[in-house]
Amino acid sequence: MEKYCKRYIPILLMVCLNSINPAHGAEWSNTEIHFQYGELKAPSFANGVKADTTIVTFQHASGWKYGSNFFFIDRIDDNRPDGFNDQDWYGEWYTHLSVNKMSGRQRGALLADWGPVMGFNFAADASVTKYLPGIRFSWNVDGFAYLNTDFTAYIDDSEGVNNGGAPSDDDSYMIDVSWSYPFSIGEHAFMISGHAEYIGERTNELGNEVSDWILAQPQFRYDLGKTLWNDEGKVFIGIEYQYWKNKLGDKAITDNVAQFLLVVQL
C-alpha cells in the first residue's frame, strides 16, 4: 500500500487542488464531505460476513470553459480486522468535454449535450487501477438537475498478485447512469441523487471468472440546514441505499442495505 500511495496520492492531490482552485476558471463548483454508516458485506475471500462500516468521503464537482470535472476519495473502515476495508482508501476521478461548450451550439430538446469522458479509479490496499475512456450523454428531463449516461471501457492497470495486490483482470466495459432530482414538499427541501453502474464480466490473472456486477447507490437527502437555520443547501441528512449484485465480481455476495448519511457542503 505504501508504494501505491506514493505513486498515486500526489497525482490525486494535484487534481483536487487544480479542480477546486477558482483561479483556474471554474464556472461553478460543488464540494461536499459525506459521512456514511451501515452494515456492509465483505466478499468471500474475507469470509463474506457483515461488518459495521464507516465511510468518510471528500467529493467535488465543477464546470469549466470546455467541460466538467468530478472526483471523490473515500476513507473506509469497518469493525473487523480481516484485511478488507481496514482503513482503506478508494477514489474515482472523471473529466468530461462538452461538445456544446466547444462548438458554441446547443443540442435538441432531449439530448442536452454529449462528449468524451475519461475516468480513473484506484483502490489503495488492493493496488487496483482502472482507466475508463468513453463517451457521455447528458439528457434534458423535466425536474432533474442533471441526468447523464456514460459508456466507457474498463481498462485494468493494476499491480497484480506478484506485487502484493489483488489479481489483475482482463479489460471490460462500464455503463453508468448518474442523476440529481431536487424537489420540495411545502417548506421542506429534498433531493434524490446518485448513480447506477453495470460492469461486464472478465477473467483475472489466476484464470478465475470475475462476474459482471450491478451497483446502485441512490441517496435520499433532506435539507436540514434550510429547516433549522434557513441556510439552504449546506447540511443534509438521509440515507444512501446500496444494492451491489455480485459485489466485486463475487457471485456469492450481494449488498442490499441502507446506510445513514450526513452531508456537509463546503
Side-chain angles (χ1 to χ4, degrees), residues 44 54 63 94 122 137 182 195 224 235:
S44 296
T54 301
Y94 298 89
F122 84 98
F137 297 96
H195 84 110
L224 185 66
V235 179

PDB file of all heavy atoms in Angstrom, residues 44 54 63 94 122 137 182 195 224 235:
ATOM      1  N   SER A  44     -16.218 -12.967  -0.448  1.00  0.00           N
ATOM      2  CA  SER A  44     -15.958 -14.310   0.082  1.00  0.00           C
ATOM      3  C   SER A  44     -14.531 -14.480   0.585  1.00  0.00           C
ATOM      4  O   SER A  44     -14.299 -15.198   1.560  1.00  0.00           O
ATOM      5  CB  SER A  44     -16.256 -15.358  -1.000  1.00  0.00           C
ATOM      6  OG  SER A  44     -17.622 -15.343  -1.351  1.00  0.00           O
ATOM      7  N   THR A  54     -17.828   2.399   8.354  1.00  0.00           N
ATOM      8  CA  THR A  54     -17.867   3.856   8.295  1.00  0.00           C
ATOM      9  C   THR A  54     -17.115   4.313   7.045  1.00  0.00           C
ATOM     10  O   THR A  54     -15.998   3.871   6.784  1.00  0.00           O
ATOM     11  CB  THR A  54     -17.209   4.481   9.535  1.00  0.00           C
ATOM     12  OG1 THR A  54     -17.897   4.041  10.702  1.00  0.00           O
ATOM     13  CG2 THR A  54     -17.245   6.000   9.463  1.00  0.00           C
ATOM     14  N   GLY A  63     -17.526  22.875 -13.098  1.00  0.00           N
ATOM     15  CA  GLY A  63     -17.595  23.097 -14.529  1.00  0.00           C
ATOM     16  C   GLY A  63     -16.587  24.142 -14.946  1.00  0.00           C
ATOM     17  O   GLY A  63     -16.292  25.074 -14.198  1.00  0.00           O
ATOM     18  N   TYR A  94     -13.213  11.771 -12.862  1.00  0.00           N
ATOM     19  CA  TYR A  94     -13.705  11.818 -14.229  1.00  0.00           C
ATOM     20  C   TYR A  94     -13.624  13.249 -14.746  1.00  0.00           C
ATOM     21  O   TYR A  94     -13.987  14.195 -14.037  1.00  0.00           O
ATOM     22  CB  TYR A  94     -15.163  11.351 -14.306  1.00  0.00           C
ATOM     23  CG  TYR A  94     -15.366   9.925 -13.861  1.00  0.00           C
ATOM     24  CD1 TYR A  94     -15.625   9.625 -12.523  1.00  0.00           C
ATOM     25  CD2 TYR A  94     -15.277   8.873 -14.761  1.00  0.00           C
ATOM     26  CE1 TYR A  94     -15.783   8.325 -12.104  1.00  0.00           C
ATOM     27  CE2 TYR A  94     -15.436   7.559 -14.353  1.00  0.00           C
ATOM     28  CZ  TYR A  94     -15.689   7.295 -13.021  1.00  0.00           C
ATOM     29  OH  TYR A  94     -15.838   6.003 -12.606  1.00  0.00           O
ATOM     30  N   PHE A 122      -9.087   4.018  -8.400  1.00  0.00           N
ATOM     31  CA  PHE A 122      -7.995   3.352  -7.691  1.00  0.00           C
ATOM     32  C   PHE A 122      -8.463   2.867  -6.332  1.00  0.00           C
ATOM     33  O   PHE A 122      -9.329   3.463  -5.692  1.00  0.00           O
ATOM     34  CB  PHE A 122      -6.791   4.282  -7.530  1.00  0.00           C
ATOM     35  CG  PHE A 122      -6.883   5.207  -6.339  1.00  0.00           C
ATOM     36  CD1 PHE A 122      -6.232   4.890  -5.163  1.00  0.00           C
ATOM     37  CD2 PHE A 122      -7.627   6.374  -6.398  1.00  0.00           C
ATOM     38  CE1 PHE A 122      -6.322   5.736  -4.057  1.00  0.00           C
ATOM     39  CE2 PHE A 122      -7.721   7.221  -5.296  1.00  0.00           C
ATOM     40  CZ  PHE A 122      -7.061   6.899  -4.122  1.00  0.00           C
ATOM     41  N   PHE A 137     -23.482  11.078 -22.468  1.00  0.00           N
ATOM     42  CA  PHE A 137     -24.661  11.759 -22.990  1.00  0.00           C
ATOM     43  C   PHE A 137     -25.407  12.387 -21.815  1.00  0.00           C
ATOM     44  O   PHE A 137     -25.676  11.712 -20.814  1.00  0.00           O
ATOM     45  CB  PHE A 137     -25.581  10.785 -23.727  1.00  0.00           C
ATOM     46  CG  PHE A 137     -24.946  10.160 -24.937  1.00  0.00           C
ATOM     47  CD1 PHE A 137     -24.344   8.903 -24.853  1.00  0.00           C
ATOM     48  CD2 PHE A 137     -24.932  10.826 -26.145  1.00  0.00           C
ATOM     49  CE1 PHE A 137     -23.753   8.322 -25.957  1.00  0.00           C
ATOM     50  CE2 PHE A 137     -24.332  10.255 -27.266  1.00  0.00           C
ATOM     51  CZ  PHE A 137     -23.746   9.007 -27.169  1.00  0.00           C
ATOM     52  N   PRO A 182     -33.898  17.287  -7.378  1.00  0.00           N
ATOM     53  CA  PRO A 182     -34.351  18.031  -6.191  1.00  0.00           C
ATOM     54  C   PRO A 182     -35.863  18.257  -6.236  1.00  0.00           C
ATOM     55  O   PRO A 182     -36.453  18.401  -7.308  1.00  0.00           O
ATOM     56  CB  PRO A 182     -33.595  19.361  -6.325  1.00  0.00           C
ATOM     57  CG  PRO A 182     -33.399  19.531  -7.798  1.00  0.00           C
ATOM     58  CD  PRO A 182     -33.273  18.157  -8.394  1.00  0.00           C
ATOM     59  N   HIS A 195     -26.048   7.193  -8.480  1.00  0.00           N
ATOM     60  CA  HIS A 195     -25.687   6.588  -9.761  1.00  0.00           C
ATOM     61  C   HIS A 195     -25.975   5.097  -9.707  1.00  0.00           C
ATOM     62  O   HIS A 195     -26.161   4.499  -8.635  1.00  0.00           O
ATOM     63  CB  HIS A 195     -24.202   6.826 -10.076  1.00  0.00           C
ATOM     64  CG  HIS A 195     -23.287   5.834  -9.426  1.00  0.00           C
ATOM     65  ND1 HIS A 195     -22.595   4.878 -10.127  1.00  0.00           N
ATOM     66  CD2 HIS A 195     -22.973   5.626  -8.117  1.00  0.00           C
ATOM     67  CE1 HIS A 195     -21.887   4.142  -9.299  1.00  0.00           C
ATOM     68  NE2 HIS A 195     -22.085   4.573  -8.070  1.00  0.00           N
ATOM     69  N   LEU A 224     -31.563  19.673   6.002  1.00  0.00           N
ATOM     70  CA  LEU A 224     -31.715  20.011   7.411  1.00  0.00           C
ATOM     71  C   LEU A 224     -31.304  21.457   7.675  1.00  0.00           C
ATOM     72  O   LEU A 224     -31.901  22.138   8.513  1.00  0.00           O
ATOM     73  CB  LEU A 224     -30.863  19.052   8.257  1.00  0.00           C
ATOM     74  CG  LEU A 224     -30.987  19.185   9.773  1.00  0.00           C
ATOM     75  CD1 LEU A 224     -32.392  18.790  10.232  1.00  0.00           C
ATOM     76  CD2 LEU A 224     -29.943  18.313  10.464  1.00  0.00           C
ATOM     77  N   VAL A 235     -26.367  21.602   4.748  1.00  0.00           N
ATOM     78  CA  VAL A 235     -26.324  20.418   5.614  1.00  0.00           C
ATOM     79  C   VAL A 235     -27.528  19.535   5.285  1.00  0.00           C
ATOM     80  O   VAL A 235     -28.668  19.998   5.313  1.00  0.00           O
ATOM     81  CB  VAL A 235     -26.341  20.794   7.110  1.00  0.00           C
ATOM     82  CG1 VAL A 235     -26.308  19.520   7.965  1.00  0.00           C
ATOM     83  CG2 VAL A 235     -25.176  21.698   7.455  1.00  0.00           C
TER      84      VAL A 235
END
